[in-house]
Amino acid sequence: MKIFKILAVIVVIAALGAGVAYWLKPKQDDRDYDTQAARVKTISSMVELCTADIHDEMPIKDSINGKWIVARQVLEGRIRFDLDALRIEERGDTTVVYLPPERVDVLENAGPDAYEVLDAWDGRNMIFTRTLTAAEENALKKRWQRQLAGKIYDKGYVRQARANAVKTLAPLLSAMRGSTSGQGAVIVIDPTPEGVR
């Protein structure tokens, strides 16, 4: 009986010691982590398929308000497809997926040597020459970006990007669908008519 009493006292002392240690332990404030912005960025990048990045250096001779400029500019282009816009049809056990319209983004390269003015002059006034304003220069840069977008179509880059997207999406969507024996093929179709740039 004496051993039982001694063990009971040891258990009570140990329990009291643990309670005191827990009570004396410094408390940490609950941290509130906001992850909403990161989640949104991840989702938006997941639903885009990029099939072509274009890096082009353009020699330019252009004018605005009678002021001329000769320059060299590096522009970046990207051809993307919004996977949220895929049109999907079930035909029996076959899934038919239609490629959405492409999105062509053209951006000015931010590198230190990406833009260089080689010559500039005032075509209307040779004595009291006017220089290009920042607004005029920005308007010219936007015009050049539109020209590069046209080149991207004219050189067949978009046509090639659409073909690449079809080749990439078919196995990707088949793999996502799974390998159940009762499921048919996944066919990706580019609805863009042949000959459209």
Side-chain angles (χ1 to χ4, degrees):
M1 246 348 190
K2 224 178 194 185
I3 295 175
F4 179 71
K5 287 182 182 178
I6 292 172
L7 287 175
V9 169
I10 291 173
V11 169
V12 169
I13 291 173
L16 285 173
V20 169
Y22 178 77
W23 183 71
L24 291 176
K25 182 178 135 188
K27 299 218 187 303
Q28 293 182 349
D29 294 336
D30 291 337
R31 294 183 182 173
D32 184 21
Y33 295 102
D34 183 16
T35 58
Q36 186 66 25
R39 209 176 311 136
V40 170
K41 286 178 186 171
T42 302
I43 291 170
S44 64
S45 64
M46 284 172 47
V47 297
E48 281 186 352
L49 174 68
C50 176
T51 60
D53 282 318
I54 298 141
H55 179 88
D56 199 359
E57 184 173 316
M58 292 179 66
I60 297 145
K61 181 180 178 184
D62 205 348
S63 69
I64 186 167
N65 300 327
K67 302 172 192 174
W68 286 85
I69 186 171
V70 176
R72 176 193 63 81
Q73 183 175 28
V74 178
L75 295 172
E76 305 289 337
R78 183 166 290 157
I79 303 169
R80 301 173 186 235
F81 297 92
D82 181 5
L83 300 186
D84 272 349
L86 289 174
R87 186 165 58 93
I88 300 171
E89 290 180 3
E90 298 290 339
R91 295 183 185 170
D93 65 346
T94 302
T95 303
V96 179
V97 179
Y98 295 92
L99 193 66
E102 71 280 349
R103 192 178 89 205
V104 177
D105 298 324
V106 179
L107 304 168
E108 184 179 348
N109 186 302
D113 297 325
Y115 176 68
E116 179 184 9
V117 175
L118 304 172
D119 195 8
W121 68 93
D122 187 347
R124 292 184 187 162
N125 196 342
M126 296 304 215
I127 298 173
F128 301 105
T129 58
R130 302 166 298 155
T131 57
L132 281 172
T133 64
E136 289 171 331
E137 204 164 354
N138 287 334
L140 287 172
K141 287 180 180 180
K142 284 184 181 175
R143 187 186 304 170
W144 303 337
Q145 287 176 341
R146 286 194 301 271
Q147 288 174 2
L148 180 60
K151 280 186 180 181
I152 288 172
Y153 280 95
D154 293 340
K155 290 183 176 181
Y157 295 150
V158 170
R159 190 180 302 114
Q160 183 61 47
R162 294 188 72 83
N164 291 346
V166 168
K167 287 178 190 170
T168 303
L169 280 174
L172 176 69
L173 295 174
S174 294
M176 288 173 61
R177 187 171 191 189
S179 57
T180 307
S181 59
Q183 293 178 333
V186 175
I187 300 170
V188 179
I189 295 174
D190 181 1
T192 305
E194 282 297 318
V196 174
R197 61 176 204 161

